[in-house]
Amino acid sequence: MNKVTTEILSRPDLLTDCERSVRYHQARARSFNTRYLLIQFIVFALAGANVVHLIEAWLPEWSAAFLWAAVSVLALCGLVFNPVEKHTLHKSLYHGFTVLHGKIMANPNADDKMLTEWTKEIHSLYADEPPVYRALLAHCDNQVAIALGADKGFFVKLKWHQLLFRNFWPFQGAEFLNQNQVHQQ
């Protein structure tokens, strides 16, 4: 999520990056889990309706064909988009950032060697990340700023559609400027 640097990150920077990444990957994992459960529900509901049709024959012939096609399409969506694998990846990254955050919090008097190790570890976690959903990242930055009691100038004002689709659309071309950056322009 952050650009790779060769310098050693400070303890506060490491904590902030971990906190943001924990929130980001927790939100992504929840989103994929919800999608998977929704697909599962629809498939089971349609399959159940089709079984009822076969047993009682209360739907016309075209409805049964439609139900079978819908079940097939929904099952194919589950295979193509694979929300379970993405959920597992984000849950694993969430766990990695949480563990690193705990290590950093447990050692308030870190020396340069520890900071170097933690910097390597955070960059290793960054390397495993898929492309970033920028609106979700900005939302997580806002949450971290609130948790840290940061100045209101660090908050990014997100539009309603960015908040609504932050887990579905990457918003790669959009600018996410915090209030300080907006006032500088």
Side-chain angles (χ1 to χ4, degrees):
M1 284 192 272
N2 288 339
K3 57 185 173 188
V4 177
T5 61
T6 56
E7 66 186 52
I8 298 172
L9 296 174
S10 67
R11 185 175 183 275
D13 288 343
L14 285 164
L15 285 171
T16 301
D17 283 359
C18 284
E19 181 73 24
R20 177 183 50 240
S21 294
V22 163
R23 291 173 187 265
Y24 176 85
H25 291 293
Q26 182 181 37
R28 291 293 291 154
R30 284 182 186 161
S31 172
F32 283 114
N33 190 46
T34 302
R35 291 180 209 179
Y36 175 69
L37 292 174
L38 180 63
I39 289 170
Q40 244 185 349
F41 171 76
I42 293 171
V43 167
F44 290 146
L46 291 175
N50 210 10
V51 167
V52 168
H53 165 70
L54 292 174
I55 293 172
E56 296 182 10
W58 56 274
L59 294 175
E61 189 67 30
W62 62 270
S63 295
F66 173 76
L67 286 174
W68 279 114
V71 166
S72 300
V73 166
L74 288 171
L76 183 62
C77 284
L79 291 173
V80 170
F81 298 113
N82 203 356
V84 174
E85 181 182 332
K86 292 176 182 174
H87 168 262
T88 304
L89 171 65
H90 285 286
K91 192 167 184 175
S92 170
L93 288 167
Y94 164 77
H95 177 72
F97 282 109
T98 302
V99 168
L100 179 58
H101 188 268
K103 286 181 197 177
I104 297 167
M105 288 298 291
N107 294 299
N109 300 322
D111 59 3
D112 284 345
K113 184 179 178 184
M114 291 175 87
L115 289 173
T116 302
E117 286 301 314
W118 293 336
T119 300
K120 286 179 187 176
E121 194 171 337
I122 202 166
H123 286 302
S124 172
L125 288 168
Y126 287 154
D128 292 338
E129 290 185 325
V132 173
Y133 280 60
R134 295 183 63 235
L136 178 60
L137 184 61
H139 177 76
C140 293
D141 281 338
N142 287 346
Q143 289 178 331
V144 170
I146 291 169
L148 296 175
D151 181 4
K152 297 287 184 192
F154 289 105
F155 290 90
V156 176
K157 184 169 171 116
L158 295 170
K159 298 177 177 141
W160 68 269
H161 68 281
Q162 292 167 335
L163 283 171
L164 186 63
F165 296 111
R166 66 181 180 245
N167 269 306
F168 298 99
W169 193 258
F171 293 103
Q172 293 300 337
E175 280 192 22
F176 293 102
L177 303 175
N178 64 34
Q179 300 302 315
N180 292 334
Q181 293 167 329
V182 169
H183 293 302
Q184 288 175 355
Q185 288 184 343

